[in-house]
Amino acid sequence: MKFVGGVCLALLLWFGNLVSPAAAQDPYRITPRQKEIIQTIMNAQGGYIDAALYEEFWSAIPLTGAEKAWLVEQMQAFMVNGQVFTRESWASAEIALRTGSYTETDDYKRAKQKNFDALHAMGPGASTADFERSVANAERIIRGAANREPVDFGGGRIAYITEDLVATVLAGIDGSLDRVNLLLMPEWQPTEMEIALPEPGVKLLLPWHLARQNSVKELEQGVQLPTTFYSGALDETTFVDIGYVGFAGLKLASREVMFSAVRGAFKNAGIAFTGEPVLEPWRGHDSVTAWGTGSADGTPIAGYIRVFIPGARQGLSMVLLLRQGSMTELVGVVDGFEHKLSLVE
């Protein structure tokens, strides 16, 4: 997520120098592998966490009792609070965009103060440069939204603050926050929440939010189809893509377009059919399903897709699951996943 980065990377660098007051004679430094785990967890696009990552991260930390509690408190203060501040910056920008007026919400002000207090607690030697830079970036985003002006995000990235960009960034931050909070639990006990995906018209149970991407698919003769996809890793080997493609105003046969979408999705994913796509009823709707296999960097991949037209909408929704490994393993994943998915009529 290009627009989410700064605060998170700064926090990661800070965490690399973390020292417990009680362990000053034998200071703890985060290992390169632990940095990789944090980056995996915080990755807005394909981040994940599971029991294995959780155990690997904490088993490498030689702290117990009060020292470990202190470490968790510091991680909470900087990793979580920093992301919350970034999130509230974009939530304020969303209101500024709607009202045309520079707006700092109460949640934004509280998050800003919380980060300032945490920095102040580090003592007089603590650098305020990253914090001041984050505040300046937040104010620039909110101001750009209010004035409908392009915002320079650095690195040659310039963009207008739009409703779609706000929704995409917030989804990425929410997923990252969900996973960081799972890492900071005293024990590995993930809980699932109901997450609504309005464009595809589904709700599902997951322990973290999926990343969101909106685009326009260009067809022949100037035809444009708006698309919205929610995607992310479910674990180290399983990836999900849930999307909606609108075709309002086009005269398309629903069954024909579903078969076409299945073929196109598998082609884009590099998946070859292991059997013909099948038309079947699913929760009161026609749907088309297919299974297939492929490979990525020499690793076998199994794929599954279901395409359906949600309610009376002029468009179609799809669920694509890809998993490293055998088709047998994917079958079990699909069965469990679809039991956690509900349609919104």
Side-chain angles (χ1 to χ4, degrees), residues 29-289:
R29 293 291 188 272
I30 189 171
T31 68
R33 174 54 184 156
Q34 285 175 303
K35 285 185 178 181
E36 290 179 4
I37 292 174
I38 292 176
Q39 288 173 326
T40 295
I41 292 170
M42 297 179 73
N43 187 319
Q45 295 290 347
Y48 77 95
I49 183 173
D50 56 16
L53 276 185
Y54 178 92
E55 292 299 331
E56 182 181 359
F57 182 88
W58 288 111
S59 64
I61 293 180
L63 303 178
T64 60
E67 292 180 14
K68 183 176 180 180
W70 177 88
L71 176 63
V72 172
E73 181 181 336
Q74 296 304 302
M75 292 175 68
Q76 175 77 34
F78 287 89
M79 293 176 68
V80 175
N81 293 349
Q83 288 195 85
V84 169
F85 174 70
T86 303
R87 190 196 191 287
E88 296 308 327
S89 302
W90 284 88
S92 294
E94 184 176 31
I95 296 175
L97 182 65
R98 188 167 59 246
T99 63
S101 176
Y102 183 92
T103 303
E104 294 182 359
T105 66
D106 290 341
D107 287 340
Y108 170 87
K109 294 174 183 177
R110 280 191 289 268
K112 178 180 175 181
Q113 186 63 46
K114 211 168 195 178
N115 278 271
F116 176 80
D117 292 343
L119 187 63
H120 182 71
M122 294 180 66
S127 172
T128 63
D130 287 336
F131 173 75
E132 292 169 354
R133 187 159 43 247
S134 296
V135 172
N137 288 341
E139 293 175 351
R140 186 166 61 250
I141 290 169
I142 298 172
R143 190 175 302 109
N147 297 334
R148 308 295 200 277
E149 296 174 344
V151 175
D152 186 349
F153 291 92
R157 302 189 302 270
I158 302 176
Y160 287 98
I161 306 299
T162 63
E163 291 181 359
D164 177 66
L165 178 58
V166 170
T168 297
V169 171
L170 289 179
I173 295 174
D174 286 343
S176 181
L177 271 171
D178 294 337
R179 293 185 294 273
V180 169
N181 283 321
L182 289 174
L183 176 66
L184 298 183
M185 293 190 307
E187 298 178 2
W188 178 249
Q189 294 180 334
T191 57
E192 295 179 331
M193 68 188 92
E194 184 178 78
I195 300 173
L197 309 182
E199 296 88 355
V202 303
K203 295 185 296 184
L204 70 159
L205 299 175
L206 286 177
W208 57 77
H209 288 76
L210 299 174
R212 178 184 183 276
Q213 184 66 50
N214 196 60
S215 64
V216 175
K217 184 176 179 60
E218 298 281 351
L219 301 182
E220 296 178 355
Q221 299 177 340
V223 176
Q224 296 183 333
L225 302 182
T227 67
T228 301
F229 280 87
Y230 295 85
S231 59
L234 300 181
D235 55 40
E236 186 177 10
T237 61
T238 310
F239 180 87
V240 65
D241 213 352
I242 303 176
Y244 176 78
V245 180
F247 47 79
L250 297 180
K251 295 181 179 179
L252 300 174
S254 60
R255 292 184 177 182
E256 177 184 315
V257 76
M258 286 192 292
F259 277 100
S260 177
V262 166
R263 289 190 291 268
F266 264 20
K267 180 179 179 181
N268 290 339
I271 300 296
F273 293 107
T274 53
E276 289 300 314
V278 176
L279 177 69
E280 63 181 24
W282 186 65
R283 303 185 186 181
H285 301 277
D286 281 343
S287 74
V288 174
T289 62

